[in-house]
Each structure stands twice: as C-alpha cells, then as structure tokens.
Amino acid sequence: MEISEIQVNGYEKVVRCRDEESGLHALIAVHDTTLGPALGGMRMLPYASEDEALFDVLRLAKGMTYKSAVAETGLGGGKSVIIGDPKTKSKALFHAMGRFIDSVKGRYITAEDMNIGIADLEIVAETTKHVTGLSRDKGSSGNPSPYTARGCLVGLRATLEEAFGSPSFKGRRFLIQGVGAVGGRLAEMLKEEGAEVIICDINDARVAEFSKKFGFKAVPDATHLDVECDVYSPCARGATLNDQTLPKLKCKAIGGAANNQLREPYHADRLKERGILYAPDYVINAGGIVNVSIELLPGGYDEKKSLAKVDRVYDNLKRVYQIAKAEKISTRAAAEKLAEERLAAGKKAKAGVRA
Ligand code: NAD
C-alpha cells in the first residue's frame, strides 16, 4: 500500500492511497480538527480522474467543518472518497480502506455516504476502529435519517416563525421534493403537526405508498415548482436552487434535507432579493451528524442526549436568521459567519488551554 501526502492550502492533511493488491485508489481530506477529530462520510464513485475526486473530497470536507461547527458536535470536518465503480466493491478493498483510514491515526473518522452502506462499513471496521454509524446492536448510533428529519422539523419551526411570525404548522402548505429516508419521515411529521403536505418523487412506488398511507397529494417532478406553497422542502438531491428554478419558485421559505441545495453561493442572494427565506442546508440537516457525534461521547450512544441536541437545530437557525437580519446579509452568509465564529472560539479556547 502506497500512501502519499497532497499539499493543499487551508487543509490540515490530504492523503492519497494506491493499493495494487486490492485495487484501492482513495483520498482522505482532513480540513480542520480545531473542534475535534474530522468526521465525514465515505463515498464511492467512478470519478473520471483523481483531480475530479480531489475537488469533491476537498469541497465536502470543508462543508463538514462548517456543519459540525454550527451544530456544535465537538467534531471537525473531513471526508473520504474511493475512486471506482461501486460494482467493484470487495472485502479486500474495504479492508485496505480501513488500513488507509487507520494511517491517519484517528484524525479522520468515517461514516456512510453515497454508495456506501452499513454492510460496507462493517468490513472497514475490521481493520480500523475509526468508523461510526454502524448498527444499534453493535452499540453504534444506527440510521441517521430519522434524526435528520427531526432536525428539519424543528428547523422548519424556526423558519415559519421568521417568515410568518408564528411557529404553527397548522394549515401551512409544504411541498416536499423527495420522500426518501429523510423526506418521507419529514412528510409524516409535518402531517402530524397539521400541515398540508404535497409530495413529488421520481420513484413512483414511493409516491404511491405515501399517497395511500397518508393521503398526500402528489405532483410530477417536472412541474412541481408550479405548486404554490408556503414552504418548499428539497429532500432529494443537490443544486436544485439554480438559475433555472429560482424564477419559478412560488414559496415564501425553503428548508429541507438535501445537501448543497444552492448551485452557486450567489443564488442565496437572489433568494434574499426575492424575499424568500432560505434555511441553509447544512444548518437544518445537521440532525444526522449530531446523532452520530453522540456515539463518540465517553458514555457511548444515548438517544435522549441525541434528541436534545438535535432539537438545537431550532436555536442554530434562529441565530442564523438573527445574524442575517442584523447584518443585512443572506442566510447563507450568516451561517458561514456563525460557523467561523464558533471555529474561532474553539481556536481561542485551545490556545488558552496550551498557554
Ligand atoms: P434517499 O435516497 O433515501 O431519498 C431521496 C429520495 O429522493 C428518493 O426517494 C428518490 O427517489 C428521490 N429523488 C431523487 N431525485 C429526485 C428528483 N429529481 N425529483 C424528485 N425526487 C427525487 O436519501 P435521504 O437519505 O432521504 O437523503 C435525501 C437528501 O438529504 C440527500 O441529498 C442527502 O445527501 C441529504 N442528507 C441526508 C441525511 C440523512 O441522514 N440521510 C443527512 C444529511 C443530508
């Protein structure tokens, strides 16, 4: 196994692994460990080149630093990518990946991400202990999705308060794109709160299941933005807020689980100009990482502690909205400010301990 460093400005450690025996070609990026070890998922994709994979892992690792800083998980930001077709997964590949993760000596802790499931992580865990998000019966925190959904719900409460002056969900119309693990649970909880829920999903079976079970009205994905609603909740995929979709939006607020909803940072400014309140994705969807972070506490995983902390997504969003209003900046910029403030406070506290 050959492990080599890649020097990248602004990143604590970036490493590449090539292992002929297992065929592993992977990268780990540790962006910042000021607030704790860098936790972030592992994804496997057939990237066209190592440069493309590097671009992805760097962007994602930095995003994790900001997400964890705002959520106060006590963790830093990192990410790993395996370059390859998920069809070529093997035991040897994941064992090698575990050894690669182990070489970073706990500065990077891994979890699930695109094309990587618990079964894969269980193999990785045979060669490194720096793995989170395994099943509950192994003392781990299990599936993060219900916690992400709960974080979204409390975050939407803060969003309603800000946009409509009342935290009540009753009679408010929500349009959810993607009723998967997170969006599906969120839809259910919104209904319990008395909201009107309209769904869309490219998976017809999922739409049929939810419409039958909860009586939700469904709209085709192609025309879902024609629906007038109070809140639009993107829970499917990234970059859905872009030049094409922004002019079509007929909502007063946006808040959902999908990562990287804004195609470009300036789309947050366009939303502000249109008077649409945007709940920054990494603030509102932090419930999952919060849940995972609890398993790293000295006493191990404790659901009560997790739920109490997930509910702080509400306070974090309130703070973001306060900053945005006071400084007349977009909510995206306000979230970044809050993350940087918390990172700076962590750096100061660390320096104080050393002095
Ligand atoms: P999922 O795969 O379970 O659900 C996604 C759903 O979106 C699926 O039902 C899929 O059919 C649907 N979908 C895909 N493309 C679509 C489109 N163009 N239009 C309509 N529907 C579409 O995934 P998930 O775990 O629910 O995650 C949803 C989003 O939230 C992802 O962007 C994920 O990165 C993000 N996220 C998830 C978690 C978590 O805990 N699972 C945490 C943070 C962020």
Side-chain angles (χ1 to χ4, degrees), residues 131-143 291-292 295 301:
V131 182
T132 55
L134 298 174
S135 51
R136 277 283 164 84
D137 55 21
K138 293 203 163 55
S140 199
S141 58
N143 178 8
N291 189 55
V292 164
E295 75 176 80
Y301 185 70

Side-chain angles (χ1 to χ4, degrees), residues 204-222:
D204 294 340
R206 196 78 183 158
V207 169
E209 178 195 334
F210 272 76
S211 299
K212 189 166 170 219
K213 208 158 148 199
F214 302 105
F216 296 146
K217 181 179 167 199
V219 290
D221 188 52

